[in-house]
Amino acid sequence: MSEISGGASSSAASAVSVAPAAPSSGAARRLARRLPVVGGIAAGSVLLLAGPAFAHVTVQPGTAPKGGYATVDIKVPNERDNASTVKVEVSLPTDHPLASVMPQPVPGWKVDVTKSKLAKPLEMEGEKINEAPSKITWTADGKGIEPGQFQQFPLSVGQLPSDTDQLVFKALQTYDDKEVVRWIEPAKEGGPEPESPAPVLKLVSADAQGTGQGPADGKNGKNGKNGAKDGSTDAAAATSDTTARVLAVGGIVVGIVGVAVGVLAGRRRNA
């Protein structure tokens, strides 16, 4: 009888030892203290994902009608947290020169237009043009583009060529600590984005663009319907990109929280 009782007692003890222990209030408090850390890591992940996408020098909007005129912005963000951008140089395409390039004045910046002789003269409205703008240089007359800021430099350009699908505007960005970032790398179709891609203006047919008029046309001063269309397209693309990033970050947060909870649970079982 005593053996049976002893066996029963041993079985009960084994059952008790196998059953998982309920989380203690101390463990719950430790988990609560660690969750803000997890949130901080997740927030850092958001910055890592969102930062590089908006750090490039670009042409805005990204498209313009072939054979027309358009006003575009050279958008220059400051990538550094301890220096200001004080000079921006944009080289205009030489394989498809632009006869007319007019910069809009930007407060706090001096602008200089460099012209070069053309190897092959251009014909524009019945006239031969032997030289064309080859480089635009903006120099800060003050603080420049400070950390965490960006600046847009408007240009009226034309007549855009009809025999190519894009124009490349290579750019140099100079900081006040003498660092120069060269945005000159061409992007290859189907390949990864270069580390320092050159700004590109895509050229589309007038039908694809809408009315065939670019935004705020420098020649006739009109705004076509495509201006609003381009804005909505850019907004939709930005929204899609933001949604994808939010979903990616959500996955990271869930993963981090799961790892944290698993580690704490393992420690409680080993304690």
Side-chain angles (χ1 to χ4, degrees):
M1 185 67 178
S2 59
E3 292 180 359
I4 295 175
S5 301
S9 300
S10 299
S11 300
S14 299
V16 171
S17 63
V18 171
S24 65
S25 58
R29 286 194 297 271
R30 287 196 298 273
L31 177 58
R33 287 196 300 269
R34 294 183 186 188
L35 284 178
V37 176
V38 174
I41 296 173
S45 301
V46 173
L47 294 177
L48 289 174
L49 286 171
F54 304 97
H56 301 336
V57 173
T58 56
V59 178
Q60 301 291 334
T63 61
K66 292 182 178 181
Y69 291 78
T71 295
V72 298
D73 291 327
I74 305 298
K75 184 177 180 180
V76 182
N78 190 329
E79 290 187 307
R80 304 293 179 259
D81 57 6
N82 57 357
S84 295
T85 296
V86 293
K87 188 177 181 181
V88 177
E89 301 168 80
V90 174
S91 295
L92 303 172
T94 56
D95 53 345
H96 294 90
L98 300 171
S100 174
V101 177
M102 294 184 293
Q104 178 177 312
V106 177
W109 293 81
K110 296 179 180 178
V111 62
D112 180 65
V113 180
T114 301
K115 293 186 176 182
S116 299
K117 189 172 182 179
L118 299 175
K120 182 181 179 181
L122 292 174
E123 286 194 13
M124 185 174 177
E125 297 181 358
E127 296 183 6
K128 285 189 175 182
I129 299 175
N130 295 311
E131 66 175 15
S134 57
K135 185 171 72 171
I136 311 293
T137 302
W138 289 272
T139 306
D141 191 17
K143 295 181 179 180
I145 309 172
E146 298 184 76
Q149 299 180 359
F150 74 91
Q151 179 64 58
Q152 295 189 119
F153 300 94
L155 289 175
S156 174
V157 296
Q159 184 176 4
L160 299 174
S162 300
D163 57 349
T164 185
D165 293 328
Q166 67 176 27
L167 294 177
V168 179
F169 297 84
K170 296 182 178 180
L172 301 182
Q173 181 178 8
T174 302
Y175 290 88
D176 58 11
D177 60 0
K178 308 304 180 183
E179 179 190 8
V180 178
V181 180
R182 302 168 64 85
W183 301 98
I184 62 173
E185 298 179 43
K188 296 181 180 179
E189 187 174 356
E193 185 181 58
E195 183 177 351
S196 300
V200 173
L201 176 64
K202 298 287 185 181
L203 300 180
V204 299
S205 66
D207 292 339
Q209 187 74 4
T211 62
Q213 296 293 336
D217 194 311
K219 183 180 176 75
N220 54 28
K222 293 181 179 180
N223 282 311
K225 294 180 180 179
N226 63 292
K229 182 178 180 181
D230 289 341
S232 61
T233 302
D234 291 342
T239 301
S240 176
D241 181 69
T242 301
T243 301
R245 293 179 184 279
V246 169
L247 291 176
V249 172
I252 292 174
V253 172
V254 172
I256 293 174
V257 172
V259 170
V261 172
V263 170
L264 292 177
R267 289 182 177 178
R268 288 199 302 270
R269 286 196 296 268
N270 294 332

